[in-house]
Amino acid sequence: MPTYKAPVDDHLFLLNDVFHVERYGNLPGFADATPDTLEAILSEGGKLCEEVLAPLNVVGDKEGCKRNPDGSVTTPKGFKDAYKAFCEGGWGGLSAPAEYGGQELPFVVSSAMQEFVTSSNLAFGMYPGLTSGAIAAINVHGSPEQKQTYLPKMISGAWSGTMNLTEPHCGTDLGLLKTKAVPNGDGSYAISGTKIFISAGEHDLSDNIVHLVLARIEGAPMGTKGISLFIVPKFLVNADGSVGGRNKVQCGSIEHKMGIHGNSTCVMNYDGATGFLIGEENKGLNAMFVMMNEARLGVGIQGLGVSEVAYQNAVAYAKERLQGRALTGPKSPDKPADSIMVHPDVRRTLMSIKAFNEAARAFMLWTALHGDVAHRSGDEKLRKSSDDYMGLLTPILKGVLTDKGFDNAVKAQQMFGGHGYIEEHGMSQFVRDARIAMIYEGANGVQAMDLVGRKLPREGGKALMAFMGEVAAFLKERSADEQMKPFVGPLQASLGHLQQASMWLMQNGMKNPENAGAGATDYMHLMGLVVLGYMWAKIARAALDKLKSGANGAAEKMNAKLITGRFFMERLLPATASHLAALSTGAETTMALSAEQF
């Protein structure tokens, strides 16, 4: 049975020592996020994930969800009680608006908790995760009446939420969707159509499920310009806010999936179901993008979360598994063999995962802090700057963290040898569960194209220039610090690679858009490595400062940080050179073959 320990101390180090969260005290909600409060929240949240959610992860994988003859869905054993405990603890409303029952704590706090939930039980975490995205969309685009009707119940967890985009004939290209909305004459609409791959589409955890559905009003323009967004509740809501009669929406089937078996991924059939328009007609994608962007950040956290729990179990196994002797002579002469921790290649594998996880965690929290500034700051200039950063960083966070998260789950599985391939140790589940994060909420190739095609050129590359300028300023500030040289030199070189790649795309992508398309994934991973390298440089600076001040009992941990960061700089960051080389070859050979030649 796999185990999990929430990395509370690492989060606190990042929040308090690396990002100095106290500097954000002027923003709404941050005054309540004192160091003591943060420690209490994350410790309690970690405990819930370790003791309640993690033991159900294997249960959910083995049992899966069951669709009943009446179209209802039964979740795996223990999920209902776990969901009740999750809701009673207020975990679904950590960052939700206080006026509707949330705690309005910083988004960075709920992001940290989301990592714990994902590591302990990814399939379970998708139920409240989808609800959180739906809350965000309704809060931004819903009418006052819609907010009052739905948000308090959704924030409490009494009701849950979903997002309904994909149809059998269209995934990323939403302009092809066929679900239609016909006005009923009373302000509501009749929604008809079929949606597929709907996570948490039907289940027995909440009293009502609030579906956010993209549909085309009759007579609306074709393509994405004619799409509207609707609230379509499973049960209609009475005037007093209570649950009313059943709406005409039903789960047609549950998808048989490679992983995340504990989450009900449904085919949803809408047969004239009553829906209510959110925002303006034909502006549905604007509203849905609020939910999609939050979901993409959440999926990036899933990549990190699975990487972390897989790593923890691989380390535990490596310490116990006796196999062979160290190359420099026996380390445990009293035993028949040494643990595999003595072998350099085992160390290389584990260090690669560890170095990624710790930087990715910083990347995630740093991005979440920008989200807090973008949504809570009273300074319009700061809000705009952080919003620009969010737009730039979101596809990188989603694409890189999930690509590497899956790779790391496979690496962790490899530590077990043949034992990793059988189900007993649970490593197979981590690999299977991690795979979906690379696909949903926009496949990673789409994320790369979004980064190169939309985010980089926006406002003349303003966000990219701001990021590169920030990193350059940091490097200049620390250039004379001898202890920082192992971090400054490699990051300076990789920043140069990013600058060269950006210039190449600017010059050659305009000449031939296929050059940009062929190099998009390499560019995304190149920039991702630079961001992670920047995070390690910031971590190293904080660790050195902490050591200079006495470390307060954390000297061993801080020295481990510095060694792990150096490993990243020496062994992982140099890959920016190969990404630059590949990207710079352009699209010629990529596009040369005819379809018949494949």
Side-chain angles (χ1 to χ4, degrees):
M1 174 76 74
T3 59
Y4 173 65
K5 177 69 175 176
V8 174
D9 288 347
D10 201 35
H11 276 273
L12 294 174
F13 167 69
L14 291 168
L15 291 170
N16 295 323
D17 298 290
V18 177
F19 298 120
H20 302 285
V21 73
E22 74 278 0
R23 296 176 183 173
Y24 298 81
N26 62 320
L27 298 182
F30 275 82
D32 297 325
T34 64
D36 288 344
T37 302
L38 283 174
E39 183 173 3
I41 291 171
L42 296 184
S43 295
E44 283 302 307
K47 185 178 179 182
L48 173 76
C49 293
E50 293 163 5
E51 298 179 0
V52 177
L53 302 187
L56 294 175
N57 197 37
V58 172
V59 175
D61 186 56
K62 290 182 176 179
E63 290 189 11
C65 295
K66 178 185 176 183
R67 181 184 180 278
N68 303 309
D70 63 355
S72 64
V73 169
T74 301
T75 53
K77 182 180 179 180
F79 270 45
K80 287 186 73 171
D81 288 340
Y83 184 78
K84 181 180 179 182
F86 185 90
C87 294
E88 288 177 348
W91 298 108
L94 279 180
S95 300
E99 63 181 306
Y100 302 113
Q103 299 173 56
E104 210 159 331
L105 285 164
F107 177 56
V108 72
V109 178
S110 58
S111 296
M113 179 62 182
Q114 192 171 0
E115 183 200 324
F116 300 168
V117 172
T118 295
S119 285
S120 59
N121 196 322
L122 172 56
F124 175 91
M126 292 172 66
Y127 293 103
L130 269 296
T131 303
S132 177
I135 289 169
I138 294 173
N139 187 49
V140 173
H141 291 282
S143 67
E145 181 183 8
Q146 288 171 338
K147 294 179 186 180
Q148 198 58 55
T149 298
Y150 296 102
L151 293 186
K153 296 289 183 68
M154 295 173 74
I155 288 170
S156 73
W159 297 355
S160 59
T162 72
M163 57 191 297
N164 284 234
L165 288 76
T166 306
E167 300 183 5
H169 56 283
C170 76
T172 302
D173 190 355
L174 292 172
L176 298 175
L177 70 78
K178 296 179 181 178
T179 299
K180 65 180 181 179
V182 179
N184 286 325
D186 60 357
S188 68
Y189 293 77
I191 311 297
S192 298
T194 297
K195 299 287 186 176
I196 63 171
F197 305 155
I198 307 306
S199 301
E202 175 62 33
H203 55 81
D204 57 359
L205 302 182
S206 61
D207 297 332
N208 202 1
I209 302 175
V210 181
H211 302 291
L212 297 192
V213 183
L214 287 179
R216 196 184 309 277
I217 298 173
E218 279 194 327
M222 296 304 293
T224 57
K225 293 182 179 180
I227 297 174
S228 300
L229 182 65
F230 300 87
I231 293 176
V232 186
K234 173 182 174 180
F235 291 100
L236 297 171
V237 181
N238 296 321
D240 63 358
S242 62
V243 172
R246 180 67 189 261
N247 207 349
K248 295 180 180 179
V249 52
Q250 190 174 59
C251 168
S253 63
I254 296 177
E255 306 285 4
H256 297 283
K257 311 185 297 290
M258 176 179 175
I260 56 169
H261 297 152
N263 193 269
S264 55
T265 307
C266 301
V267 174
M268 301 298 298
N269 296 319
Y270 293 84
D271 187 15
T274 301
F276 306 92
L277 181 70
I278 300 181
E280 301 177 46
E281 289 187 9
N282 305 330
K283 301 291 185 181
L285 278 186
N286 294 341
M288 183 60 88
F289 263 116
V290 173
M291 189 172 185
M292 290 172 69
N293 284 334
E294 178 154 325
R296 284 170 177 171
L297 289 171
V299 174
I301 296 173
Q302 290 176 3
L304 165 62
V306 177
S307 181
E308 173 64 29
V309 68
Y311 166 77
Q312 289 187 17
N313 283 274
V315 169
Y317 183 80
K319 289 178 179 178
E320 296 175 356
R321 175 66 169 173
L322 303 181
Q323 196 80 32
R325 290 295 188 185
L327 296 175
T328 53
K331 302 300 181 185
S332 301
D334 58 323
K335 297 180 180 179
D338 293 329
S339 78
I340 63 173
M341 284 293 288
V342 304
H343 302 306
D345 196 60
V346 168
R347 294 292 192 101
R348 176 195 61 81
T349 301
L350 295 176
M351 284 292 285
S352 296
I353 307 174
K354 178 179 174 65
F356 168 84
N357 288 352
E358 294 183 21
R361 181 170 298 117
F363 180 15
M364 177 267 290
L365 294 176
W366 183 59
T367 305
L369 280 169
H370 277 296
D372 279 315
V373 173
H375 293 103
R376 303 186 184 211
S377 177
D379 186 320
E380 185 176 348
K381 186 176 179 181
L382 286 177
R383 283 204 313 271
K384 178 65 168 62
S385 175
S386 283
D387 190 58
D388 289 344
Y389 261 49
M390 289 287 286
L392 179 69
L393 296 173
T394 296
I396 302 170
L397 188 78
K398 195 279 183 184
V400 173
L401 266 59
T402 59
D403 272 355
K404 295 303 181 184
F406 175 75
D407 287 348
N408 289 341
V410 173
K411 288 177 181 176
Q413 182 188 38
Q414 186 76 9
M415 291 296 94
F416 287 72
H419 294 286
Y421 196 68
I422 61 175
E423 296 296 334
E424 179 184 352
H425 292 280
M427 301 308 287
S428 168
Q429 183 186 353
F430 296 143
V431 172
R432 290 183 284 104
D433 285 355
R435 187 63 183 89
I436 184 57
M438 302 163 69
I439 299 172
Y440 59 16
E441 304 310 334
N444 287 353
V446 175
Q447 300 299 323
M449 287 296 297
D450 177 50
L451 173 65
V452 169
R454 295 179 64 242
K455 302 302 173 59
L456 291 188
R458 180 178 291 175
E459 296 187 60
K462 180 181 175 182
L464 174 65
M465 296 301 293
F467 168 74
M468 292 195 295
E470 178 179 336
V471 178
F474 178 94
L475 292 171
K476 184 177 180 180
E477 176 192 353
R478 292 283 162 167
S479 61
D481 187 337
E482 282 294 322
Q483 291 181 299
M484 284 292 293
K485 282 192 174 180
F487 301 90
V488 170
L491 183 55
Q492 186 77 65
S494 289
L495 179 62
H497 297 153
L498 177 61
Q499 292 166 336
Q500 292 176 63
S502 303
M503 183 63 68
W504 191 93
L505 283 175
M506 192 187 324
Q507 294 172 344
N508 295 277
M510 293 182 67
K511 294 177 184 176
N512 179 4
E514 289 181 342
N515 283 328
T521 292
D522 276 298
Y523 186 89
M524 179 180 73
H525 279 282
L526 193 166
M527 188 168 179
L529 282 167
V530 173
V531 175
L532 295 173
Y534 180 42
M535 293 299 102
W536 264 120
K538 292 173 79 71
I539 291 168
R541 181 180 64 177
L544 288 167
D545 289 346
K546 203 170 180 71
L547 286 168
K548 288 174 185 175
S549 64
N552 195 26
E556 186 176 355
K557 289 183 179 179
M558 294 304 101
N559 283 317
K561 288 283 184 191
L562 293 170
I563 293 170
T564 306
R566 282 174 49 203
F567 178 92
F568 181 91
M569 295 294 180
E570 295 170 359
R571 303 295 295 260
L572 302 182
L573 189 58
T576 56
S578 61
H579 287 301
L580 172 62
L583 177 154
S584 301
T585 63
E588 183 180 353
T589 54
T590 301
M591 303 302 296
L593 296 182
S594 67
E596 291 72 27
Q597 288 176 294
F598 277 88

